Amino acid sequence: MSRKNITIDQNFSDRFKYLMESVWKIKPAHLAKMLNVTASYISMVARGKRSPSAEMIIGIYLNYGSYIEWLITGQGPVCRQTATVNDSALDAAHG
């Protein structure tokens, strides 16, 4: 099965990295096992070198569904149960 990439904005990788490191507190290798992809692919997505595949987005949704809207769009709360963090707040946090 070939992987099809979906169109994601340029800040997706920043949001993805933020969630992995600060919210989910998960290493790329562990997330890769959960999503059935390689750790290097996860790292490339986090660095903005690759776009996430539709399968990866679905895997994130199945494991971390409450974060998916913010991850994809940068709008709304990071998690449905948390305060709103938008892209400008994320930019300010990263300098």
Side-chain angles (χ1 to χ4, degrees):
M1 178 161 113
S2 70
R3 296 184 189 266
K4 294 183 180 178
N5 288 339
I6 59 175
T7 303
I8 299 292
D9 74 27
Q10 62 188 8
N11 296 319
F12 176 90
S13 60
D14 292 332
R15 292 190 298 270
F16 180 62
K17 188 174 179 180
Y18 170 79
L19 287 174
M20 277 198 322
E21 293 175 353
S22 301
V23 178
W24 302 333
K25 299 183 189 308
I26 192 169
K27 302 254 184 226
H30 184 72
L31 184 59
K33 282 185 179 182
M34 290 174 62
L35 301 179
N36 198 29
V37 297
T38 65
S40 64
Y41 178 70
I42 294 289
S43 294
M44 287 187 286
V45 171
R47 290 190 321 266
K49 302 292 182 188
R50 294 279 308 267
S51 293
S53 66
E55 291 86 356
M56 181 178 164
I57 296 294
I58 291 168
I60 291 170
Y61 174 74
L62 292 174
N63 288 281
Y64 300 104
S66 58
Y67 299 91
I68 201 72
E69 181 180 356
W70 181 77
L71 177 61
I72 292 173
T73 68
Q75 302 299 309
V78 172
C79 179
R80 288 184 203 134
Q81 293 81 23
T82 63
T84 299
V85 175
N86 58 31
D87 281 345
S88 57
L90 184 60
D91 290 342
H94 289 298

